[in-house]
Amino acid sequence: MFGFSAKAEQISNVESTGSWIYIYNAQGKKYKTLSVSTVGTVVGFSATFFVSQNGGWIYLWDAEGRKYKTLSKSMVGDVIGVAGDTFTSRNGGWIYTWDKNGKKIKTRAATR
């Protein structure tokens, strides 16, 4: 007998339609549905996680649609990009790079 290990899905798309947010895998199959009222607005995604904003909060979600971190928008600012295992935000005159666990890993001045 061959053993199979459970492999986490990889995100290929996160789509918001009406009251629902759909997560799609690499084969284009919808595998998770979440409520917009819970998630808020999706501001970016990569293959392994996605970032949303709901009111004054920034949420980090894993590929299975589980929220695993909550950050204050006043601390993070506006999320401007998500790539690989990081996301980037702009807060005032600063650009911050965060790891997928919500730890700030780099700060630089924003150029105007």
Side-chain angles (χ1 to χ4, degrees):
M1 283 287 176
F2 295 101
F4 293 97
S5 61
K7 183 180 177 218
E9 294 283 0
Q10 291 219 327
I11 300 169
S12 70
N13 192 27
V14 180
E15 181 179 281
S16 180
T17 305
S19 299
W20 302 105
I21 292 173
Y22 304 113
I23 307 174
Y24 294 86
N25 66 13
Q27 290 74 39
K29 179 182 176 203
K30 176 174 48 176
Y31 68 91
K32 192 71 175 183
T33 302
L34 302 167
S35 167
V36 167
S37 63
T38 301
V39 175
T41 302
V42 175
V43 294
F45 68 90
S46 74
T48 58
F49 78 112
F50 69 97
V51 181
S52 71
Q53 179 184 328
N54 199 347
W57 302 102
I58 302 293
Y59 299 134
L60 306 182
W61 304 81
D62 68 16
E64 297 303 318
R66 292 183 296 255
K67 179 171 54 176
Y68 64 87
K69 186 75 173 185
T70 301
L71 301 166
S72 166
K73 185 175 181 328
S74 64
M75 177 181 73
V76 174
D78 296 316
V79 175
I80 56 176
V82 179
D85 288 334
T86 65
F87 67 99
T88 307
S89 67
R90 178 186 208 116
N91 197 350
W94 298 98
I95 302 289
Y96 301 121
T97 303
W98 308 80
D99 71 13
K100 69 184 282 179
N101 297 311
K103 179 182 175 195
K104 192 184 316 176
I105 56 176
K106 183 145 174 79
T107 302
R108 68 176 176 84
T111 56
R112 300 268 172 188

